[in-house]
Amino acid sequence: MRSTSGIGQCFRPLATEPLTARSTVLPPHCSSGFARRYIRLPARKKQGRQSCCPAIQAAQIKPAYNKYRSRYDIDQDYIKQWKEVTARDSQPKHVTPWSFLWFVPLFIKYHVIPGQIRYAWWLVWSAMRVAIYQIRKRLILQGAKLDIQLMKASKQVEAATFSRSLVLQRLHGHVSLLDTLKYRLQLIQGQSKQQ
């Protein structure tokens, strides 16, 4: 029968004491020249109260000049700063032709046209956008089929497949109509260059 003392006991966890800066990891009878008996844990750093956001953390730090001032003086300074900022922003701005062209349609949209008509137009425009997207998707798929036919018709182009990523780029507007026409012209001429 084998003895229970020995290596098996060396790896039992010690539940009697918590790990501290100098805790025994192995029992004394398991120590050897190859194993360390103690573990050195780094000292715990003291951390101040921190928040998750650096902006909030920066806002919690008060300037040094406020340290010995009364609350009333600090409030008066904030009021003074607020008056300076609002006075600077409330100065009349000059009307330019560009700002006038930007202002007129928005004024008509929000102050001349009643809200009920704007809402009815939004409903109609939302339905139109869905229909336009479906039509555009069908046209782009037909364009991909046209690309395959052009590849098959040209003798120098051996691959007669289309790229899904190219079709998606066309659908989402990453490839312009001019680039698509150039690509098809190259297919007609027998050159297979991807966009």
Side-chain angles (χ1 to χ4, degrees), residues 97-154:
W98 177 251
S99 65
F100 181 75
L101 289 176
W102 188 262
F103 167 76
V104 169
L106 293 177
F107 179 79
I108 291 171
K109 179 180 179 181
Y110 291 109
H111 295 285
V112 176
I113 300 173
Q116 296 85 356
I117 295 174
R118 280 188 287 143
Y119 179 68
W121 170 248
W122 177 80
L123 288 175
V124 171
W125 178 243
S126 299
M128 284 174 49
R129 284 179 58 194
V130 171
I132 289 170
Y133 179 78
Q134 295 296 330
I135 293 169
R136 188 161 182 253
K137 188 164 63 170
R138 286 183 185 165
L139 288 175
I140 287 173
L141 288 174
Q142 290 299 323
K145 291 178 183 177
L146 176 66
D147 290 346
I148 291 174
Q149 294 299 323
L150 290 175
M151 284 182 191
K152 287 180 181 177
S154 70

Side-chain angles (χ1 to χ4, degrees), residues 10-175:
C10 293
F11 296 105
R12 277 192 208 144
L14 297 174
T16 56
E17 62 179 273
L19 285 177
T20 58
R22 187 150 169 89
S23 296
T24 305
V25 175
L26 298 175
H29 68 274
C30 293
S31 65
S32 65
F34 299 105
R36 285 189 163 179
R37 288 185 57 205
Y38 297 102
I39 183 171
R40 293 194 182 271
L41 296 175
R44 196 172 187 191
K45 292 181 180 177
K46 289 186 178 181
Q47 295 180 350
R49 188 173 145 192
Q50 293 182 351
S51 60
C52 60
C53 180
I56 294 174
Q57 187 176 0
Q60 291 173 353
I61 300 171
K62 295 179 180 172
Y65 65 86
N66 284 344
K67 190 172 182 180
Y68 299 108
R69 298 178 66 206
S70 69
R71 183 69 194 161
Y72 178 78
D73 291 340
I74 295 170
D75 287 342
Q76 290 302 318
D77 277 353
Y78 287 142
I79 292 170
K80 180 182 170 187
Q81 289 174 3
W82 178 250
K83 285 180 180 177
E84 289 173 0
V85 169
T86 54
R88 183 179 64 229
D89 291 342
S90 65
Q91 292 176 352
K93 295 181 174 64
H94 300 291
V95 178
T96 63
W98 177 251
S99 65
F100 181 75
L101 289 176
W102 188 262
F103 167 76
V104 169
L106 293 177
F107 179 79
I108 291 171
K109 179 180 179 181
Y110 291 109
H111 295 285
V112 176
I113 300 173
Q116 296 85 356
I117 295 174
R118 280 188 287 143
Y119 179 68
W121 170 248
W122 177 80
L123 288 175
V124 171
W125 178 243
S126 299
M128 284 174 49
R129 284 179 58 194
V130 171
I132 289 170
Y133 179 78
Q134 295 296 330
I135 293 169
R136 188 161 182 253
K137 188 164 63 170
R138 286 183 185 165
L139 288 175
I140 287 173
L141 288 174
Q142 290 299 323
K145 291 178 183 177
L146 176 66
D147 290 346
I148 291 174
Q149 294 299 323
L150 290 175
M151 284 182 191
K152 287 180 181 177
S154 70
K155 306 295 182 204
Q156 298 175 358
V157 179
E158 59 276 349
T161 59
F162 67 95
S163 169
R164 288 182 183 177
S165 63
L166 182 60
V167 172
L168 287 173
Q169 287 174 358
R170 288 178 186 169
L171 178 64
H172 296 296
H174 297 293
V175 177

